[in-house]
Amino acid sequence: MLTALWLAPLAVAAVLVAVPAARREVVLGAWVVLAVAEVGGAGVVWAAVPRGGGFAFEVAAPWIPAFGVGYHLGADGFSAPLVAMTAVVFLAVALSALRRPPDEDAARTRAFVLLFLALEAVGIGVFLALDLVLFFVFFDLSIVLMYFVIAGWGSGGRVRSALQFFLYTFLGSLVMLLGFLVLAVGGRTSGGITFDIPTLAARAPVTGPAGVLALVAIGVGLAIKTPVWPVHTWLPPAHTDAPAAGSAVLAAVLLKMGTYGFVRIAMPLLPGPWRSAAIVFVVLGVVSVLWGALVALAQRDLKRMIAYTSITHLGYVVLAVGAAGVVAAGPEARTLAVTGATVQMVSHGLVTAALFLLAGVLRERGGTSEIAAWSGIAGPMPRFSWTFALAAFASLGLPGLSGFVGEFSLLAGSLPAVPVAVVVAALGLAVTAALFLRALQSMLLGDRHLPAAAERAPAPRIGRFRAPSSPDLRVVETTAVGLLLACSVAVGVAPAVLTTTIAPAAAQVVSLVSR
Amino acid sequence: MTADVVTLLPEVVLALGAVLGLLVGSFLPPGREAPVRGIGIAASVATIVVALVVHGGPSAFGGTYTVDVATTTVRVLVAGAVGVSLVLAGDVSGVASQTLGVRKATPSTGRTDTAFAVLVQLSGVGAMVLGGASDLLLLAAAVLLAGLPLAALAGLARDGRATEAALKYFLTSALFGLVLLTGVTVLLGLTGATSYAALGRATPPVVVAVALLLVLAGLLMTIGGVPAHFWVPDAVDGTHPVTGAVLTTTAKLGGLVAAWRLLAAVPTTAVPWPLLVAVLATASMTLGNLAAFAQTSLRRLLAYSTVSQVGYLLVPVAVATRTPLALPALLGYLAAYAVTNLAVFAVLAARPHALEVADQRGLARRHPVLAVALAVGLLGLVGTPPTVVFAGKLAGFTAAVDGGMSWLAVVAVLNSVASLVYYLRWIAPVFSPGDPVLRDPVAPRARAVAVVLAVVSVAGGLLVAFAG
């Protein structure tokens, strides 16, 4: 089941290679159908996750036996929601891609679709992997594929941004691999080298200098991908120059690989070092929250601003997983913190993907995503304005939307452990709220002022099609963004669906950290 | 004696292929020597089959030649590389000057195709003997047998640059061959025997260390590692990519296993060779990478990339006696390196008129399949999953950490990241839109070989279980 889930996009990609590139509608249609099927599959996996903890649909087979590397997949309370979020985000991206510029070379459209199919495969794979090497393979492949997305379809200084992104995150991933090696070799005393995560979690954990070394390596690798201040500098240029779909996937899926790595690998496998370094993560989390929020406040470009709010939102996650390492706080609060962190990952994925897709619409219509270039667009672009406002409120944590659930529970869970840090981090909420309100106010309200390219007169008919006169969202774009926001509202209204799945896994990790 | 020959049957088969090719070739009109290549390809396939199927004794000729999993791996890989390079040579046959160097088309008078096929096979025999040698004199002979045909190979094109390449290679190999022989002589004097088994009781340690260093220097020349690497860029840059592929593959495969075999026989208590090899590995990967940064000639870039790959290959050698993972790591990486390196050289050989970075613009539009094969090959050399080199690097790093040389793994990781820069300098223009080009012919065999090897490098990475 799980193998099929991550292999299905690749199978479709293999078929599409054989389809003539000129049949754009077949290529794009197959992508949407596959994306819908993936959402369904992710739902099935989610439903099967044991409520008492443990893995659903576990698959294990040897891969490189001499080195203890296995093909091990499983879905638990952490994986299933993230896989579902990944599937939904890719569905939204596929829908919005239905409106690719018709003058684009058909072969390029197909290459774009193939890249995103491969990205979906590795995005789902990474959240299902229960073997360190397998995790690394997916983690690393996501970087390579995203490099081609940014370098091939980006704008501005795309080649430079893509190179910076590739080098920075590739360095992070290889440093992380070193940490994995220490973990695998360190477990040798209790029977053979293995990269299997559950096996390593069941063994006596690596301690002493080797454990500290492993945590530093893994921590640095995951922190770069998350990204945590001060290793976040690759993110804003990558987001600014990536195409909208690439930005959405980068923010929603690729960044989660970093935070997911903390709860899946760093915490359960290195409990001792994690407890002693907990305060470091708390501090880095708080700094990321404030830094991201304040720098976002100063941005003039909408995409760049959203990129910096990602650092803020994931800073909360890092704060919470750090707080979960403070044993004195008691298991209930720490479980709540980890659960909240996971909800925040899902929520950030949905909301930020929606924001980036919307920013991409602006850039496509007007050629710019500068905040100052757009004003009073509520009149000409009502659908855009409603969805953008909703996404902004979800991002700043308005109750009733998913952002609130995540941030509230992770801050509540962290409060007993690190009260001062939580209070300081809560200031970030205020700054985020301020910057989103300011952006909403200046873009949606006021005198109508659109970039020249977006002010279209009714165009003459070309064949059967007529270029639309309104710069507002098209039906597929509204559907794509609406789908993401509907999920966000669902999580906000009925958080129990999400939290009851996550909580057992969170409780398990917390007890592993307390070892 | 018969048993010894059976044990050495793979080497015998390939050597017979060379001899037969030489005979047949001398009866064929110059420029129409395809049957010779056919014989060579058949001989390499037969060698692979024989190496895998026929099981002779564990050693031959009084223990001077060892047959184990390492020997078998080298035999299969070398024979495979010989076969692949002969297939690639089929694209450039017929016209001598074109065969191995320049573009001007003058009719040939010499039988360069025969010479190419025979020399490649002879060098292959030498590389295979290198892989099994467990005697100092056999080692010296094998180094010469693997190296000298390559010098002649480099000079086949008979133009200025090829002559320079050949001369440089020949002089370097002569110098380091002498150094190696000196080392062998000293060790013989110390132990009274040439077999590796005797090395364990050699004293005094200081003299043993010096002699070992001399022997190692000879091997480093064969494998193209720092500090004996300076022939690599000139030899590869001065010759056709097919010759470059041979120069950087066959002898290297045998030489690394030879180094592993020799060092594993020397007790580390007497000579601290693991540290020495680790330093050499660091130097190779770092200097190779640094030199590759500034290159605009793709052949030079690849040449330096092979120097840095030697560094990664030396990592498992450095921990040879400290962890049981070292040997599978070394052999796995050798196989991965052979496949990936040949794939990238095959891409070059497919378009021998475009050997500069600037010539690569827009390749993905004109020849998408070739471009993807190239991307797979280059990213494979970086060690990106799921290619075979990733599995090889993973194994090498694991062996280094397990062998207590974590710092070497760190160095290798940093170098892998650094190498990404110059590989991307090649990949990026390939996928960028280029100016329209009227004619951009692609050699059909080379393209097929590149695609097949790229597929093998990915499939091999996924199915590596069967090798482990």
Side-chain angles (χ1 to χ4, degrees):
Chain A
M1 176 70 201
L2 298 182
T3 307
L5 196 63
W6 79 263
L7 272 181
L10 293 183
V12 172
V15 173
L16 287 186
V17 171
V19 172
R23 303 293 301 274
R24 283 169 52 117
E25 68 285 355
V26 175
V27 173
L28 292 170
W31 185 18
V32 173
V33 171
L34 179 271
V36 172
E38 287 288 330
V39 173
V44 172
V45 169
W46 187 332
V49 170
R51 289 294 176 267
F55 297 102
F57 299 117
E58 216 172 329
V59 195
W63 184 18
I64 314 177
F67 289 85
V69 178
Y71 173 78
H72 192 176
L73 297 180
D76 68 351
F78 290 134
S79 331
L82 286 168
V83 168
M85 182 271 287
T86 304
V88 170
V89 167
F90 272 99
L91 175 57
V93 168
L95 284 172
S96 68
L98 283 175
R99 258 193 50 80
R100 291 203 66 71
D103 51 342
E104 191 187 49
D105 182 8
R108 262 174 76 75
T109 306
R110 185 173 66 173
F112 183 84
V113 172
L114 293 181
L115 269 179
F116 273 82
L117 284 170
L119 264 174
E120 176 156 19
V122 300
I124 289 175
V126 79
F127 296 127
L128 294 176
L130 290 181
D131 183 277
L132 292 173
V133 172
L134 197 59
F135 178 86
F136 175 82
V137 167
F138 289 127
F139 192 93
D140 217 34
L141 269 181
S142 73
I143 298 172
V144 177
L145 295 170
M146 188 50 78
Y147 166 79
F148 282 108
V149 169
I150 298 177
W153 284 267
S155 53
R158 61 197 163 100
V159 172
R160 201 188 138 76
S161 299
L163 181 66
Q164 190 187 4
F165 160 77
F166 199 162
L167 283 179
Y168 215 137
T169 50
F170 191 69
L171 174 70
S173 77
L174 282 183
V175 169
M176 182 181 79
L177 182 66
L178 280 179
F180 288 176
L181 294 181
V182 174
L183 276 181
V185 172
R188 195 154 194 205
T189 43
S190 39
I193 286 184
T194 180
F195 286 91
D196 193 63
I197 295 173
T199 312
L200 284 170
R203 283 185 186 175
V206 180
T207 51
V212 174
L213 213 67
L215 183 63
V216 169
I218 296 176
V220 167
L222 295 174
I224 289 179
K225 186 97 171 188
T226 298
V228 177
W229 180 91
V231 285
H232 64 278
T233 47
W234 61 269
L235 181 79
H239 266 313
T240 312
D241 294 331
S247 279
V249 169
L250 176 60
V253 182
L254 265 66
L255 303 191
K256 298 309 167 306
M257 295 179 185
T259 48
Y260 174 78
F262 284 118
V263 293
R264 169 64 68 217
I265 294 166
M267 294 171 73
L269 301 192
L270 290 162
W274 185 268
R275 288 196 302 269
S276 34
I279 196 68
V280 177
F281 288 98
V282 170
V283 170
L284 286 179
V286 172
V287 174
S288 295
V289 167
L290 294 179
W291 184 276
L294 289 173
V295 179
L297 196 58
Q299 295 308 313
R300 299 205 184 106
D301 185 277
L302 186 62
K303 283 187 96 174
R304 245 184 135 75
M305 186 191 93
I306 303 169
Y308 277 106
T309 62
S310 285
I311 299 171
T312 302
H313 286 132
L314 295 176
Y316 287 118
V317 174
V318 174
L319 160 69
V321 293
V326 181
V327 181
E332 290 82 15
R334 292 158 62 217
T335 304
L336 183 62
V338 174
T339 311
T342 313
V343 175
Q344 172 81 346
M345 291 184 216
V346 175
S347 158
H348 173 261
L350 297 170
V351 174
T352 310
L355 284 170
F356 273 121
L357 288 180
L358 288 168
V361 169
L362 285 189
R363 190 169 275 189
E364 193 213 317
R365 304 284 199 276
T368 174
S369 51
E370 289 276 321
I371 295 174
W374 300 81
S375 141
I377 57 179
M381 302 174 71
R383 287 194 294 277
F384 175 90
S385 306
W386 279 111
T387 46
F388 184 64
L390 190 60
F393 284 124
S395 187
L396 64 81
L398 195 75
L401 294 158
S402 61
F404 173 76
V405 181
E407 278 164 16
F408 179 76
S409 42
L410 73 84
L411 288 179
S414 309
L415 193 61
V418 282
V420 179
V422 169
V423 171
V424 176
L427 290 176
L429 287 176
V431 181
T432 317
L435 69 93
F436 269 115
L437 289 175
R438 214 180 53 157
L440 284 180
Q441 191 180 10
S442 93
M443 293 175 74
L444 303 190
L445 309 178
D447 296 334
R448 172 174 164 152
H449 172 72
L450 273 60
E455 293 277 17
R456 303 186 213 188
R461 291 171 75 95
I462 307 168
R464 282 191 295 136
F465 298 102
R466 192 159 61 92
S469 55
S470 160
D472 202 2
L473 296 188
R474 310 276 167 264
V475 175
V476 283
E477 288 162 347
T478 319
T479 319
V481 176
L483 175 74
L484 292 167
L485 293 177
C487 291
S488 168
V489 172
V491 172
V493 175
V497 181
L498 196 52
T499 50
T500 48
T501 311
I502 301 171
Q508 199 180 4
V509 163
V510 164
S511 73
L512 281 173
V513 172
S514 314
R515 279 189 292 171
Chain B
M1 182 63 198
T2 320
D4 286 343
V5 172
V6 171
T7 310
L8 279 173
L9 203 52
E11 286 80 356
V12 171
V13 171
L14 197 58
L16 280 180
V19 172
L20 192 62
L22 197 58
L23 277 177
V24 173
S26 49
F27 289 101
L28 290 170
R32 306 181 66 182
E33 300 146 69
V36 179
R37 279 196 305 276
I39 292 170
I41 294 169
S44 6
V45 173
T47 306
I48 295 178
V49 173
V50 169
L52 291 174
V53 175
V54 178
H55 292 287
S59 69
F61 296 110
T64 55
Y65 191 83
T66 310
V67 177
D68 53 13
V69 61
T71 318
T72 309
T73 313
V74 171
R75 283 168 165 174
V76 171
L77 290 176
V78 168
V82 167
V84 166
S85 48
L86 288 176
V87 173
L88 287 176
D91 279 326
V92 278
S93 70
V95 183
S97 55
Q98 208 184 15
T99 306
L100 302 154
V102 276
R103 282 166 233 175
K104 71 171 186 245
T106 47
S108 154
T109 50
R111 294 187 169 84
T112 39
D113 283 9
T114 304
F116 181 87
V118 170
L119 289 171
V120 167
Q121 290 175 74
L122 286 179
S123 162
V125 173
M128 285 157 72
V129 175
L130 261 180
S134 40
D135 181 275
L136 288 168
L137 280 179
L138 187 61
L139 177 75
V143 164
L144 295 178
L145 180 56
L148 287 180
L150 294 182
L153 206 57
L156 269 187
R158 297 189 199 162
D159 64 356
R161 300 195 63 192
T163 311
E164 188 195 337
L167 204 60
K168 193 147 190 172
Y169 186 91
F170 181 74
L171 289 178
T172 322
S173 70
L175 173 66
F176 280 93
L178 274 179
V179 169
L180 179 129
L181 280 173
T182 314
V184 168
T185 314
V186 173
L187 285 175
L188 173 62
L190 290 178
T191 60
T194 54
S195 84
Y196 286 2
L199 286 174
R201 51 173 198 271
T203 49
V206 181
V207 185
V208 175
V210 172
L212 196 66
L213 200 61
L214 296 178
V215 177
L216 208 55
L219 282 175
L220 278 173
M221 189 271 150
T222 307
I223 62 179
V226 172
H229 68 287
F230 38 81
W231 62 272
V232 183
D234 292 318
V236 174
D237 199 25
T239 54
H240 192 277
V242 178
T243 312
V246 178
L247 287 175
T248 56
T249 313
T250 49
K252 201 169 281 192
L253 300 173
L256 278 154
V257 172
W260 168 78
R261 236 182 249 290
L262 172 70
L263 291 169
V266 180
T268 50
T269 46
V271 183
W273 58 263
L275 185 64
L276 172 71
V277 176
V279 170
L280 288 173
T282 308
S284 255
M285 51 182 125
T286 313
L287 293 180
N289 275 340
L290 290 181
F293 276 129
Q295 303 304 330
T296 54
S297 156
L298 294 179
R299 285 181 294 183
R300 269 193 118 69
L301 191 154
L302 261 190
Y304 280 114
S305 129
T306 65
V307 173
S308 73
Q309 294 288 333
V310 168
Y312 306 125
L313 281 161
L314 282 173
V315 170
V317 176
V319 290
T321 50
R322 298 181 173 200
T323 163
L325 300 175
L327 183 59
L330 174 64
L331 299 180
Y333 202 135
L334 276 178
Y337 167 78
V339 170
T340 316
N341 193 50
L342 284 174
V344 178
F345 269 104
V347 173
L348 272 193
R351 294 166 73 236
H353 53 277
L355 295 175
E356 296 290 319
V357 172
D359 299 333
Q360 304 296 311
R361 289 190 70 84
L363 176 64
R365 293 288 182 84
R366 297 194 293 277
H367 304 293
V369 177
L370 198 63
V372 171
L374 176 70
V376 169
L378 289 179
L379 289 174
L381 285 177
V382 182
T384 312
T387 56
V388 267
V389 176
F390 164 68
K393 276 196 175 171
L394 177 71
F397 296 170
T398 315
V401 173
D402 196 37
M405 282 200 173
S406 300
W407 66 270
L408 192 56
V410 173
V411 170
V413 158
L414 293 178
N415 269 298
S416 299
V417 176
S419 71
L420 184 61
V421 175
Y422 60 83
Y423 291 123
L424 281 183
R425 270 187 50 222
W426 187 350
I427 295 179
V430 166
F431 288 91
S432 64
D435 304 325
V437 174
L438 282 179
R439 243 174 67 78
D440 187 15
V442 166
R445 289 194 186 85
R447 175 167 61 186
V449 167
V451 171
V452 168
L453 288 177
V455 170
V456 168
S457 93
V458 172
L462 297 175
L463 303 177
V464 75
F466 297 109

